[in-house]
Amino acid sequence: MDVRTKDVAALGRRVAAHQDAALERLARPPAADRLQAIYRKEAALSLGGRAAPSRRRLGIALGAACAAALALVFALALPGPGDPLTYRVEGSPGAVGRWVAADASQVGLDFSDGSRVDLAPGTRARVTEVGPLGAGVLLERGSLHVRVVHRGDTRWVVAGGPFEVHVIGTEFDVTWDTEAEELAVSMIAGRVRVLGPCVEPPGRAVAAPESLRLTCAAPRSAAPQAPPPAVAPEPPPPAVAPEAIPPAPPPALLPGASAAAPAPPPSPPARAGAPPPEAPSGSWRAHLAAGKLGEALADVERLGIDTVLGGASGAELVDLGSAARLGRKPDLAARLYEAARRRFAGSDAAAVAAYHLGRMAFDGRGAWAEAERWFAVYLAERPRGALAPEALGRSLECARNQELHARARELAARYLAAYPNGAHAGLAAELAGGAD
C-alpha cells in the first residue's frame, strides 16, 4: 500500500469515528422502553404486520450516508484546484530544483496527478517548477519517456537545450544530445508543440506517430584533409646538345636473370612486447567526423596533446574537450576548451567553450562564482546563442546558491523578459521579488 492509499484509509477511519461519536450523542430512550418496542415489533410481525418498508428506508439512508462519506474522503484526499503537484522519485519525496541522475538503471518520477516521467540510463534531469496544472522538467542530457495525464487545462513543459516541448496530455519520448545540440521527439500518443529560436513555424505541432529532430547548431564542415608534404621542384637539367649525350649503358645482368624491378627491402620483424604503433596523424579527424569522440580522443592522446592543440580547428578542440569531459578527464577538457578560446577568440567555438567551462565548474565542483563568470562570458559573446537560455538560467542558480539576492533579482528580471515560459521561469519568478 503506497502512502497516498494509506492517507485515504486513515481519513476514512476518521470520518467513521466522527459518525460513531455523533450516534453516541443522540438522545436514546431507556433500556426498558427499547425492549418494549422490540416486543411490540415482534408481535406485529407474528400477526402479519410488515416491517420491510422500514428496513428498506433504513438501507437507503445508510447507503446514502456511506456514499456521502466516500465522496468526502476523496474530496479531501485528492489535490484541490489550487494545490501544486507533488512528485516522488522511486518512492521518495522529490524536491523542485534537485537534480535526478539515472546511472546504471532507469529512474521514475511519479506525479500526484497520475503523470509519470522515466529517465533512461545515463540521463540527468530535474523538475524546475510545479503548479496546480502541471510541471516543468529540464532535461540536461539523455532521454525521457513522458506520460502526461490529459486534462483540459494541463500545462506541462519539457525543456532540452534551447527547445521547449509544451504538453497538454500525451505520451512521447524526448532526447537531448548535448554534443550535437540536437533535440529528438518521438510521439506515441497525442500531440505536443515545440518552441525554440530556430523552430519553423514557431510553436511547431507534432502529433503521433510523428518524429522530429531539431538543432540550432551550424552544420559542421567535413574534416579538413591534411595537405600533401611540400616537395621542392627539381632543377631542370642543363641544356646539352643531343650529340653530346652518351648512350646509357645497359644494366649488368647475372646469367639467367631477367630485367625485373628490384624488390623492396624486407621489413624488420616485429619485436615482442613492443608498444603499439602510433595512430596516423589524420585518424582522430576521421573519428571526429564519424562522431566517435572516445576513439578520437584516444588517437590524440597517442599522438600527443600538444601536437593537436596547435593544429586543430576551434570546433575540433571543442569536440575533443567534450570527449575528455564525458570521459571524466576534466583537466584535459579544460586545456582543450581554453585552447579553443585562446586561438579562436570571438568565434562560435570560443563561446561554446566558455559555456562548457562554466558547466564543468557548476556540475563538477559546485564552484558557483567561477561558473557564473564563464556563463557571463558566453552571454556577452553570444547573447542570442542557442545556449543562452540555459546559460542565463544557470547564472540565476549561481546567484541564488551564493545568496547574492540583488544579483539574483537582476538576473531573474532579465530571464523573465527574455524567456517568460523558459525552463527557469518558475525560479526566476520566485527570486524576482525576493528580499535582500
Side-chain angles (χ1 to χ4, degrees):
M1 181 181 291
D2 59 23
V3 174
R4 186 174 178 183
T5 305
K6 290 179 180 178
D7 293 342
V8 172
L11 185 57
R13 287 193 295 271
R14 291 199 298 271
V15 170
H18 283 298
Q19 289 178 330
D20 291 342
L23 289 174
E24 289 295 330
R25 289 193 296 271
L26 292 176
R28 292 186 294 177
D33 293 345
R34 295 202 305 272
L35 186 59
Q36 287 296 329
I38 293 172
Y39 288 154
R40 287 195 298 271
K41 187 175 295 185
E42 291 295 333
L45 288 173
S46 64
L47 294 174
R50 300 181 62 183
S54 298
R55 292 179 180 177
R56 185 171 57 190
R57 285 194 296 271
L58 178 60
I60 293 173
L62 288 175
C66 289
L70 286 174
L72 176 63
V73 166
F74 285 103
L76 293 175
L78 294 176
D83 296 335
L85 300 183
T86 59
Y87 77 98
R88 304 184 70 81
V89 184
E90 296 295 310
S92 299
V96 174
R98 181 180 300 167
W99 286 108
V100 180
D103 296 325
S105 60
Q106 177 179 289
V107 174
L109 311 181
D110 290 293
F111 290 81
S112 54
D113 69 342
S115 301
R116 181 176 172 90
V117 176
D118 290 308
L119 284 68
T123 298
R124 183 178 168 92
R126 58 177 165 167
V127 177
T128 55
E129 58 181 318
V130 292
L133 304 179
V137 180
L138 176 62
L139 175 57
E140 168 78 7
R141 65 170 181 265
S143 300
L144 302 176
H145 178 81
V146 182
R147 184 180 62 82
V148 173
V149 173
H150 178 74
R151 293 186 299 173
D153 54 356
T154 299
R155 296 179 187 171
W156 279 72
V157 178
V158 178
F163 302 103
E164 294 178 356
V165 182
H166 289 249
V167 187
I168 295 176
T170 186
E171 185 173 2
F172 63 97
D173 294 317
V174 57
T175 299
W176 171 243
D177 185 337
T178 57
E179 304 308 321
E181 297 181 21
E182 181 182 73
L183 183 84
V185 179
S186 179
M187 300 303 301
I188 299 172
R191 60 184 295 168
V192 299
R193 287 189 306 112
V194 182
L195 286 76
C198 58
V199 178
E200 291 293 339
R204 182 171 177 178
V206 189
E210 292 180 296
S211 296
L212 179 69
R213 288 183 177 273
L214 293 168
T215 181
C216 293
R220 295 176 183 171
S221 58
Q225 300 294 327
V231 178
E234 295 183 0
V240 180
E243 61 274 9
I245 302 176
L253 299 176
L254 295 176
S258 61
S267 301
R271 292 178 298 165
E278 290 187 353
S281 60
S283 64
W284 65 269
R285 282 196 167 101
H287 282 142
L288 272 188
K292 299 178 179 178
L293 298 184
E295 290 88 338
L297 184 65
D299 290 344
V300 166
E301 290 179 311
R302 285 196 294 271
L303 285 170
I305 297 297
D306 292 333
T307 303
V308 176
L309 286 178
S313 68
E316 289 167 345
L317 288 170
V318 170
D319 285 344
L320 291 170
S322 297
R325 176 173 53 81
L326 295 173
R328 299 176 186 263
K329 298 178 179 179
D331 293 340
L332 177 56
R335 286 185 65 191
L336 290 159
Y337 288 142
E338 288 165 358
R341 290 200 54 76
R342 182 175 61 254
R343 292 185 51 221
F344 300 96
S347 67
D348 287 340
V352 172
Y355 171 82
H356 287 309
L357 286 166
R359 190 163 77 165
M360 288 172 60
F362 187 104
D363 292 335
R365 305 191 304 278
W368 314 122
E370 178 187 350
E372 188 184 353
R373 283 197 300 272
W374 282 119
F375 293 142
V377 169
Y378 176 87
L379 291 168
E381 296 179 0
R382 293 296 182 274
R384 292 182 178 84
L387 299 172
E390 183 66 9
L392 185 54
R394 286 186 177 236
S395 297
L396 180 60
E397 291 186 70
C398 291
R400 178 202 58 186
N401 293 344
Q402 297 176 88
E403 298 184 356
L404 302 175
H405 303 296
R407 175 67 174 161
R409 284 200 304 274
E410 174 196 347
L411 293 171
R414 285 176 55 190
Y415 190 93
L416 291 172
Y419 314 106
N421 298 313
H424 289 81
L427 176 62
E430 176 186 340
L431 296 178
D436 290 326

